[in-house]
Amino acid sequence: MRRVFTSMLLFLATAMAIVVWALPAPVKPAVLECHLRDGSILLLEPTDSLFVMKTKYGTFSVPLSDVLKLEPALLRSAEMERYIQQWMTDLGSPQFVLREKAQAMLIENAAVAYPQLKAGLKSDTPEVAKRCETILRTVASVVNDETDEDRTVDIITTTDDTILRGQLETKSIKVKSKSLGELTIQLATVKSFGKPTVKEELPVRTTPTAYSKGMEKLTIPQQAPQKK
């Protein structure tokens, strides 16, 4: 009798081991690397599951787990255009301080000022042409002819290399950040989402620029200085 009982226990233990082995492995939450327009880099676990994009071929729902990269459209408001025009004029100002300030602001906002900077290379004012060349050389790794291509639309590239161009109907997503906890990120503050390429977050705070003025921004709390 004891032998039968032992055999049954061994059988049940083996069966349970097979069942556990056959169970699917737990799905790891998707992690997206988020570059904000203020220079922050966050590693985010989305709690929302979809981006909804309207294109000329219809409206598509794209699972966040299938997103290789998301590039929200660059916002070129009338106000921003006025700022850029003033900065471009100030590049040729007789005042050195104004020229330096304009150059710094155009570097910071080169993504939206790119067409004007390219045109400035042919300016009749040598100082303007020279500074435009300096600005474009400074930002060449992140702002160039390729990145400027049709940035009036949102672009989603999926993991199977499908590219969707259109208008995001999703305006914000809820996420979790290891360093900042639960957040709601407005996509207007986002430069790009994508698969992680960094291991650590880079939360920073910069002075709001003309570009960010009036936009609903994600506030990044300043980190306390470490004691030496």
Side-chain angles (χ1 to χ4, degrees):
M1 185 69 181
R2 181 179 297 177
R3 186 175 299 174
V4 173
F5 181 71
T6 302
S7 299
M8 290 181 64
L9 285 177
L10 288 173
F11 174 78
L12 290 173
T14 303
M16 287 294 294
I18 292 173
V19 170
V20 171
W21 176 80
L23 287 175
V27 178
K28 293 183 178 180
V31 176
L32 292 176
E33 180 178 308
C34 175
H35 290 249
L36 296 175
R37 297 194 186 280
D38 68 356
S40 305
I41 301 176
L42 301 176
L43 295 175
L44 303 174
E45 177 187 328
T47 51
D48 286 339
S49 59
L50 294 171
F51 283 129
V52 179
M53 175 178 276
K54 184 177 181 181
T55 74
K56 64 180 181 180
Y57 300 107
T59 300
F60 297 89
S61 296
V62 183
L64 266 66
S65 58
D66 291 345
V67 173
L68 181 64
K69 190 173 186 180
L70 164 67
E71 300 168 273
L74 296 175
L75 304 177
R76 292 188 173 100
S77 65
E79 181 184 25
M80 188 61 197
E81 292 291 343
R82 288 194 295 272
Y83 276 110
I84 293 173
Q85 184 178 356
Q86 184 61 57
W87 295 331
M88 292 295 297
T89 300
D90 288 347
L91 285 181
S93 171
Q95 299 183 43
F96 176 77
V97 173
L98 282 181
R99 297 199 301 272
E100 287 291 293
K101 181 179 179 181
Q103 180 169 319
M105 293 305 296
L106 285 166
I107 288 174
E108 187 172 347
N109 296 276
V112 286
Y114 188 77
Q116 289 90 336
L117 290 168
K118 288 278 287 186
L121 292 173
K122 300 178 181 179
S123 173
D124 294 332
T125 305
E127 182 70 16
V128 173
K130 179 182 177 181
R131 286 182 177 266
C132 285
E133 182 180 359
T134 299
I135 294 167
L136 290 171
R137 187 167 59 248
T138 301
V139 302
S141 62
V142 290
V143 182
N144 47 57
D145 288 343
E146 183 178 349
T147 62
D148 188 62
E149 180 185 2
D150 195 13
R151 290 314 318 280
T152 59
V153 298
D154 301 306
I155 303 173
I156 291 179
T157 303
T158 67
T159 51
D160 64 356
D161 292 330
T162 298
I163 298 177
L164 297 175
R165 298 174 182 267
Q167 182 178 3
L168 279 170
E169 296 193 345
T170 304
K171 301 303 180 184
S172 65
I173 62 169
K174 294 181 179 180
V175 297
K176 292 180 181 178
S177 163
K178 183 177 181 180
S179 62
L180 302 175
E182 295 185 356
L183 303 168
T184 297
I185 294 187
Q186 305 298 321
L187 294 185
T189 69
V190 173
K191 183 178 180 181
S192 69
F193 277 112
K195 295 298 182 182
T197 60
V198 299
K199 295 182 179 180
E200 296 182 356
E201 297 185 338
L202 180 62
V204 298
R205 174 181 286 177
T206 59
T207 303
T209 66
Y211 177 74
S212 63
K213 185 178 179 181
M215 293 171 53
E216 185 175 1
K217 289 179 65 61
L218 171 69
T219 301
I220 306 297
Q222 289 181 320
Q223 294 179 321
Q226 295 181 351
K227 295 182 179 180
K228 296 183 179 180

